[in-house]
Amino acid sequence: MTRHPTRPSRSEDLPAAVLWDMDGTIVDTEPSWIAEEYVLVEEAGGTWTDSDAHDLVGQDLLTSAAIILDRTPVRGEPEQVVRRLLDGVVQRTRAHVPWRPGARELLASLRERGVPCALVTMSWTELADVLVEQLPAGSFDAVVTGDQVSRGKPHPEAYLEALARLGVAPELALAVEDSPTGATASTAAGVPTLVVPHTVAVPPLPGAVQRGSLEGLSPADLGGLARSLRSELHPDQRVDRVHDQA
């Protein structure tokens, strides 16, 4: 996907781009993933718990599949496990898109202000397509999915790929995440990160700030957050470096 040709010019108080996680951040698909995990494991005669399910939140899908194969009687190749889970989640999401509070409104505001957005998700293309189809055309200028990268979150590859597609420096962008794995990936890529925890708690990370919800946030708010976090990710740019050295 490429940049929308009719975007208005972007104000300097805004982030150069916003990079969005999907599951748990824009849409509340985590309950669907967990439900499909329970079905899969129980059909194989095994036991699955919420604790097990929470260990998979934010992970690359092949990593999640490997964990299921290691902990349960489920058998097959990791790709087969992913396909069974993914088909169920896609079906559930097509029947009902569970939007997270404030996400669509903030996406629309960013588009109106000319801020490029990328979707950076470990879900595979089939599920990302369901989301993209439910949003106005041009909501995302790039879409990077788990089946497009060789190393999933918490590795920063997906975020670095999104930045390259947008042509944006990491410190000028802002990522929106909801999980420890995702926030680790975005900050490792050098992107200031807004964390909105949902299914699992997220520990404090340098370069990341936490908010309870996206509701009420504006593009300018995101720009302010990005500026305030840059020094934590890029110490050489800190205006107080002389005081630190003293």
Side-chain angles (χ1 to χ4, degrees), residues 100-204:
R100 292 286 291 140
R104 283 184 294 178
E105 294 81 0
L106 185 53
L107 269 167
S109 295
L110 289 165
R111 186 166 180 262
E112 290 172 1
R113 296 295 302 275
V115 179
C117 287
L119 188 65
V120 186
T121 175
M122 289 298 93
S123 287
W124 287 7
T125 301
E126 293 96 319
L127 184 54
D129 284 346
V130 175
L131 173 68
V132 172
E133 291 164 3
Q134 297 295 321
L135 290 167
S139 293
F140 294 110
D141 301 87
V143 176
V144 179
T145 57
D147 51 333
Q148 296 177 10
V149 296
S150 59
R151 293 162 295 186
K153 301 175 185 179
H155 193 279
E157 179 184 347
Y159 276 103
L160 295 172
E161 175 63 22
L163 291 163
R165 293 187 192 182
L166 295 177
V168 171
E171 67 273 15
L172 300 181
L174 181 82
V176 185
E177 275 284 357
D178 76 305
S179 71
T181 304
T184 297
S186 57
T187 54
V191 182
T193 299
L194 168 61
V195 179
V196 185
H198 180 41
T199 302
V200 295
V202 181

Side-chain angles (χ1 to χ4, degrees), residues 40 44 62 64-70 72-84:
L40 176 65
L62 290 173
S64 295
I67 293 172
I68 291 172
L69 290 168
D70 181 62
T72 75
V74 173
R75 292 294 173 261
E77 296 299 320
E79 291 82 359
Q80 294 172 313
V81 174
V82 170
R83 177 56 53 196
R84 289 189 61 184

